[in-house]
Amino acid sequence: MSKVQIKFSNSLTPSDPDKQSVLIFGKRQYLENLQYDEISIKFGTKVSKEHYHCALNQITSGILDSLTRLIKSHCTGQDEYIVILCEYKDVFASACAVARSYSLYCRKNINVSYTVTVEFIVVDQDDNTKHTFLSDADLDCLKAAKNAIRTTARIIVDTLHLVMKCTY
């Protein structure tokens, strides 16, 4: 059983990209309205303002992919941060997508233990340049949903394994 711990946070915490990867997700318009000073805490000294703006200019609006698939394909198997920029109405679905990305049971990473910290920047519905963070009550709700999703996935996997054993 993998021991991936998922934590939801209502603030951005400093990180060093050399030690923990940082994945940032959001609509292009939200990312473009996010000022470097608001997100630079995630880059340490590794990403300058010029590099940040250059990276934003490289974003293409291609085929939309599911958040779960993007996270699974970019996770490192080590402590990491996920920053999600979205409107409040999309927070719950985004948190559920993160929970689906890190199953409680996976044969690939059976002895792996690390922490994924998910930080939400909530974009104001009427003004994309205004940002807030989640309340403690919001975090409690997301934690309960995360636990339910991961437990449900575990039950399904266990049931499938039992059925497979009984049929062979």
Side-chain angles (χ1 to χ4, degrees):
M1 183 162 101
S2 71
K3 296 176 182 106
V4 180
Q5 204 177 37
I6 302 173
K7 294 181 182 179
F8 294 109
S9 174
N10 58 0
S11 65
L12 292 179
T13 54
S15 61
D16 181 356
D18 282 341
K19 296 179 182 171
Q20 307 102 352
S21 68
V22 179
L23 302 172
I24 302 173
F25 297 100
K27 290 183 180 178
R28 183 184 178 122
Q29 66 188 27
Y30 299 160
L31 293 168
E32 289 174 344
N33 287 327
L34 183 67
Q35 298 299 312
Y36 174 77
D37 295 337
E38 294 178 85
I39 194 74
S40 63
I41 195 169
K42 302 309 299 175
F43 306 137
T45 58
K46 307 298 180 202
V47 178
S48 68
K49 190 173 188 174
E50 292 76 27
H51 286 112
Y52 174 73
H53 289 293
C54 181
L56 287 178
N57 291 332
Q58 300 299 317
I59 296 173
T60 58
S61 54
I63 299 170
L64 292 176
D65 208 341
S66 76
L67 184 57
T68 301
R69 188 177 310 154
L70 286 169
I71 292 171
K72 281 184 176 182
S73 65
H74 290 91
C75 68
T76 62
Q78 300 174 345
D79 289 350
E80 57 193 358
Y81 288 91
I82 298 174
V83 179
I84 301 175
L85 279 82
C86 63
E87 291 182 14
Y88 186 78
K89 65 180 182 169
D90 299 322
V91 167
F92 188 78
S94 299
C96 291
V98 172
R100 285 191 309 272
S101 300
Y102 297 96
S103 175
L104 285 175
Y105 180 78
C106 180
R107 288 186 179 190
K108 290 182 185 176
N109 52 5
I110 198 159
N111 292 320
V112 175
S113 179
Y114 61 96
T115 302
V116 176
T117 304
V118 183
E119 302 167 335
F120 285 93
I121 300 175
V122 181
V123 178
D124 187 279
Q125 181 175 325
D126 300 319
D127 183 358
N128 291 342
T129 61
K130 292 183 181 177
H131 306 113
T132 59
F133 293 97
L134 299 174
S135 69
D136 289 339
D138 292 328
L139 295 178
D140 289 341
C141 175
L142 297 180
K143 182 179 178 182
K146 169 205 66 168
N147 291 339
I149 288 167
R150 296 180 83 201
T151 300
T152 301
R154 173 68 192 249
I155 290 168
I156 290 170
V157 167
D158 287 348
T159 303
L160 289 173
H161 285 201
L162 180 63
V163 169
M164 297 291 280
K165 285 181 183 179
C166 291
T167 58
Y168 292 107

